[in-house]
């Protein structure tokens, strides 16, 4: 309809219940890796040729701050988001010469329905750990993604943009 693909966002993810790594069943490991990593891989595999055909473009993969550091009781999720960052960096270096920019966004605690399922006490504890004293908003993440997809970020590829209110600082 529009003549081809110019930009794409790979945004899918599952989080496993908080539990020690040695208690995660194989089936849950496979499910998280299939959704969180293979989903991004499959997106890239189809998006890159389409962007090459257009002479370039931009892709943003949604990772997580859990992909930048260890996350106790979230080992498989953390590993999957580390893998998304690795895929992003590798794909960015492989495709920069084709005019394709590939970046990742690493959100911290964002005020989404998933966060709304936390008890009020747990939610307050999470907010207390945030240097900015609040959760991020979906709009803030969307604006960062928009920037990475736009020509305004034309010299940015292979980066992992952290949006976490200072949590990883």
């Amino acid at each position: 309809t529009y003549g081809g693909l110019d930009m794409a966002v790979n945004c899918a993810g599952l989080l496993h219940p908080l539990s020690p790594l040695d208690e995660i069943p194989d089936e849950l490991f496979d499910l998280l890796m299939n959704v969180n990593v293979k989903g991004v891989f499959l997106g890239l595999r189809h998006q890159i040729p389409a962007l090459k055909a257009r002479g370039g473009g931009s892709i943003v993969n949604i990772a997580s701050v859990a992909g930048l550091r260890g996350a106790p009781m979230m080992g498989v999720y953390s590993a999957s988001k580390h893998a998304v960052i690795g895929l992003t960096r590798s794909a960015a270096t492989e495709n920069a010469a084709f005019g394709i920019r590939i970046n990742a966004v690493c959100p911290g605690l964002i005020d989404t329905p998933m966060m709304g399922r936390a008890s009020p006490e747990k939610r307050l504890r999470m907010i207390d750990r945030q240097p900015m004293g609040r959760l991020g908003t979906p709009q803030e993440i969307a604006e960062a993604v928009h920037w990475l997809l736009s020509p305004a970020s034309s010299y940015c590829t292979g980066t992992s943009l952290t949006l976490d209110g200072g949590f990883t600082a």
Side-chain angles (χ1 to χ4, degrees), residues 5-30:
L5 185 67
D6 297 302
M7 62 189 76
V9 178
N10 295 308
C11 178
L14 292 177
L15 177 65
H16 60 77
L18 297 179
S19 59
L21 193 59
D22 60 335
E23 294 179 12
I24 302 287
D26 291 352
E27 297 78 20
L28 184 55
F29 177 91
D30 292 342

Side-chain angles (χ1 to χ4, degrees), residues 5-108:
L5 185 67
D6 297 302
M7 62 189 76
V9 178
N10 295 308
C11 178
L14 292 177
L15 177 65
H16 60 77
L18 297 179
S19 59
L21 193 59
D22 60 335
E23 294 179 12
I24 302 287
D26 291 352
E27 297 78 20
L28 184 55
F29 177 91
D30 292 342
L31 176 63
L32 264 73
M33 290 297 172
N34 279 333
V35 172
N36 296 0
V37 182
K38 192 172 183 181
V40 171
F41 165 74
L42 292 173
L44 290 168
R45 190 169 73 186
H46 292 281
Q47 295 154 357
I48 290 167
L51 291 175
K52 283 181 181 177
R54 293 284 281 182
S58 182
I59 300 171
V60 175
N61 297 321
I62 305 301
S64 168
V65 294
L68 300 171
R69 56 183 281 181
M73 307 295 279
M74 297 173 59
V76 178
Y77 177 79
S78 179
S80 73
K81 294 304 184 173
H82 274 81
V84 169
I85 292 169
L87 281 171
T88 299
R89 290 177 178 161
S90 294
T93 58
E94 289 175 16
N95 293 284
F98 299 105
I100 301 171
R101 296 179 299 104
I102 305 172
N103 294 288
V105 169
C106 299

Side-chain angles (χ1 to χ4, degrees), residues 55-164:
S58 182
I59 300 171
V60 175
N61 297 321
I62 305 301
S64 168
V65 294
L68 300 171
R69 56 183 281 181
M73 307 295 279
M74 297 173 59
V76 178
Y77 177 79
S78 179
S80 73
K81 294 304 184 173
H82 274 81
V84 169
I85 292 169
L87 281 171
T88 299
R89 290 177 178 161
S90 294
T93 58
E94 289 175 16
N95 293 284
F98 299 105
I100 301 171
R101 296 179 299 104
I102 305 172
N103 294 288
V105 169
C106 299
L109 296 174
I110 306 301
D111 197 5
T112 64
M114 184 169 61
M115 287 297 299
R117 292 193 294 264
S119 70
E121 297 81 21
K122 183 174 182 178
R123 189 176 166 91
L124 284 174
R125 281 195 310 271
M126 288 187 278
I127 291 170
D128 284 344
R129 294 176 52 207
Q130 297 298 110
M132 293 184 80
R134 67 176 181 86
L135 302 177
T137 68
Q139 182 65 31
E140 289 169 317
I141 304 306
E143 288 174 9
V145 169
H146 179 264
W147 178 75
L148 287 170
L149 292 172
S150 79
S153 66
S154 63
Y155 196 58
C156 183
T157 195
T159 195
S160 299
L161 181 61
T162 304
L163 301 165
D164 69 353

